[in-house]
Amino acid sequence: MIPVETIIGAARDLAVAGRWDRAATLLDAAIAAVPEDDAARGNAARLALAAADVAVDAGWFTGGGDEGARLSKVDEYGLDPAQRWDLEFAWLRYEYRQHLGRPDRNVRHQGERLAETAPDERRRGWAHHYLGLITDNLFDERADAPAHYEAALARSGGDDLLRREALRHLGDHDHEAGEHDLALSRWREATEAGARAGAVPGTLSQQLLLAVLARDAGDEAGAAALAAEVARWANAIGAARTAAQATAFLAGVDPTQPPPSPEDS
């Protein structure tokens, strides 16, 4: 039998590449093959956690799905302490997206608690990254967010996905401050880190930020050409949110602006 960790690793690689349906199918098949006894409870829980994590990823890029239902079905008692932390972090990622554009202190407190209780520095880095997102996009406290991204970057050794995220958002603050050369450097490095990790949808969204800088530099033709390719590729893999952002960019919308609150929509 294929080891559970091998199956989970393969599914995560598929999800990072934007093959969310295939990742979910693989994990669901593995879950169905787990014997229904107490000895196998841990394996079933780990596979269900991985499937929920994949669903959260898919929800971000596609606009939503069954991630809430999958998270609710994970048997936390079949997980070890580090995996229970992972489950709580997956819930944080889900709740963050549900509250975009409006402050929620419970989400912030959850992020702070996860940063304090993280079982290792890499996980602590991810918690700080989400605290940065919460500070930026739920509370609009722009001056306070970069410290969290710096904390994430400092803990990103060996995790190119975390490195990409931290650099992406630090570059956003550089861009807002008019430091376009620094933003370009960070965003190029973020693009490289995302590609190295095999993050197809993430690399596409990063390319859109390079189009922003091309527009800022007066190269509208280059910006439009790059954004059109991003839209085409994103549509092809089902990354609906990225495709919509690229299409909006072509119409003149700046994707680096914070998302509108529900009251403004």
Side-chain angles (χ1 to χ4, degrees):
M1 181 177 176
I2 301 174
V4 167
E5 287 306 317
T6 300
I7 295 171
I8 291 173
R12 284 177 175 158
D13 286 346
L14 285 168
V16 167
R19 302 297 187 184
W20 303 290
D21 288 346
R22 291 189 181 183
T25 297
L26 173 63
L27 290 165
D28 287 342
I31 292 168
V34 174
E36 295 184 5
D37 56 50
D38 290 341
R41 186 175 183 179
N43 285 342
R46 287 155 61 203
L47 290 163
L49 171 59
D53 205 47
V54 166
V56 173
D57 280 346
W60 179 258
F61 285 103
T62 65
D66 63 347
E67 59 266 49
R70 283 189 178 270
L71 284 165
S72 296
K73 291 178 181 178
V74 178
D75 175 12
E76 65 178 279
Y77 296 102
L79 303 174
D80 66 28
Q83 291 158 354
R84 283 196 290 274
W85 188 97
D86 291 338
L87 176 59
E88 291 186 39
F89 181 64
W91 272 113
L92 174 69
R93 294 170 61 214
Y94 172 72
E95 291 295 335
Y96 164 74
R97 185 167 66 81
Q98 304 308 305
H99 291 86
L100 272 176
R102 52 193 174 91
D104 187 285
R105 295 192 179 279
N106 289 332
V107 176
R108 172 176 271 175
H109 291 159
Q110 184 182 3
E112 291 169 343
R113 183 174 55 79
L114 287 170
E116 292 172 357
T117 62
D120 55 57
E121 288 302 291
R122 183 188 66 83
R123 285 180 170 94
R124 196 179 313 279
W126 274 108
H128 272 290
H129 172 66
Y130 266 81
L131 280 171
L133 295 179
I134 291 163
T135 302
D136 259 342
N137 299 324
L138 270 59
F139 288 86
D140 195 26
E141 297 170 354
R142 297 284 289 172
D144 296 332
H148 289 296
Y149 301 135
E150 292 285 4
L153 184 61
R155 294 166 172 82
S156 67
D159 189 337
D160 278 323
L161 291 176
L162 178 56
R163 184 169 188 82
R164 170 199 171 272
E165 291 286 354
L167 288 167
R168 173 184 174 87
H169 290 279
L170 285 168
D172 176 54
H173 282 266
D174 298 332
H175 175 255
E176 184 179 60
E179 297 285 348
H180 289 186
D181 287 344
L182 184 54
L184 178 60
S185 175
R186 295 220 220 232
W187 281 348
R188 279 177 170 169
E189 188 178 348
T191 304
E192 181 180 359
R196 192 164 50 239
V200 175
T203 301
L204 287 175
S205 65
Q206 195 61 43
Q207 292 281 9
L208 186 58
L209 295 183
L210 297 181
V212 169
L213 290 180
R215 175 175 284 172
D216 289 344
D219 183 7
E220 183 61 30
L226 182 53
E229 285 302 296
V230 170
R232 188 165 67 88
W233 281 54
N235 272 317
I237 66 170
R241 291 184 75 252
T242 303
Q245 287 178 328
T247 301
F249 175 85
L250 290 167
V253 176
D254 183 353
T256 66
Q257 293 301 305
S261 67
E263 291 78 9
D264 295 332
S265 60

